Amino acid sequence: MDLSTEGSKSRVFWLDIARFIAIISITMNHAVNRTLNLEKLLDNFSFDLIDFDILLRTGIYIFSRLGVPIFFMITGALILNKNFKTFEDVKYFYKNNLLKIFITSEIWLGIMYFFIIFSDMPDYEKLYGLGPKVEWFFRTLFFDSRYTYGNIWY
């Protein structure tokens, strides 16, 4: 299916539905999660105490985390609009794009790490001395850092 809309006034219905779902999901993440204290609820989750309220809150929590990945997928569908019919097509895509994606991720992780470390953000363990800061910086770059796990879900 061609997703390009250049020169066309038609809309792609399934992309509009995906956008609607993503908007509702992100709205729930920013509004409902804070009101219902879902993160605290899930920290103390136990299969022995399951009831309708806990199932509903857990469902809301999970749904509210889907918005950003859905928007990423929509963006990928619209921007990339590539042909992935054969293994060679997929191989060509990754050969020409994986390094760029990896470098962008590494830059983002580095910026996020330094922002957290040097801004004394609450809820993060303080690192004293150059050695621990360098160690956790490299652990961040190798996707092994509690400081930057928050963005890994997407």
Side-chain angles (χ1 to χ4, degrees):
M1 168 186 245
D2 184 19
L3 298 176
S4 63
T5 56
E6 190 174 316
S8 170
K9 300 229 184 230
S10 66
R11 297 188 63 114
V12 180
F13 182 72
W14 68 269
L15 286 175
D16 288 338
I17 296 297
R19 280 187 198 99
F20 173 77
I21 291 169
I23 289 168
I24 297 299
S25 171
I26 290 172
T27 302
M28 289 179 84
N29 188 11
H30 289 289
V32 177
N33 280 350
R34 292 184 178 118
T35 304
L36 297 178
N37 290 323
L38 295 179
E39 300 217 5
K40 185 176 181 182
L41 171 81
L42 293 176
D43 284 344
N44 301 317
F45 185 83
S46 169
F47 284 106
D48 298 334
L49 303 172
I50 291 180
D51 62 11
F52 179 75
D53 180 56
I54 290 174
L55 287 176
L56 179 66
R57 289 179 186 214
T58 303
I60 291 170
Y61 180 83
I62 292 168
F63 175 73
S64 73
R65 297 295 195 255
L66 297 176
V68 172
I70 291 171
F71 272 124
F72 282 153
M73 287 183 263
I74 292 168
T75 301
L78 293 172
I79 289 177
L80 298 177
N81 196 14
K82 303 287 183 193
N83 186 9
F84 292 113
K85 292 183 180 176
T86 67
F87 178 73
E88 292 302 317
D89 294 337
V90 174
K91 195 165 83 172
Y92 177 82
F93 171 79
Y94 280 110
K95 182 180 177 186
N96 292 303
N97 294 298
L98 190 60
L99 182 62
K100 295 174 196 171
I101 293 169
F102 179 74
I103 290 170
T104 303
S105 296
E106 291 296 296
I107 291 169
W108 167 247
L109 287 170
I111 291 169
M112 190 167 96
Y113 173 81
F114 282 109
F115 180 77
I116 291 169
I117 293 300
F118 293 114
S119 66
D120 291 328
M121 293 197 51
D123 299 328
Y124 286 94
E125 176 186 335
K126 303 275 187 249
L127 295 175
Y128 298 101
L130 183 62
K133 288 179 182 176
V134 170
E135 174 192 349
W136 281 101
F137 175 70
F138 281 105
R139 290 182 75 171
T140 294
L141 294 181
F142 289 111
F143 304 100
D144 180 38
S145 171
R146 66 180 171 265
Y147 288 100
T148 52
Y149 277 153
N151 75 317
I152 297 300
W153 66 272
Y154 58 82

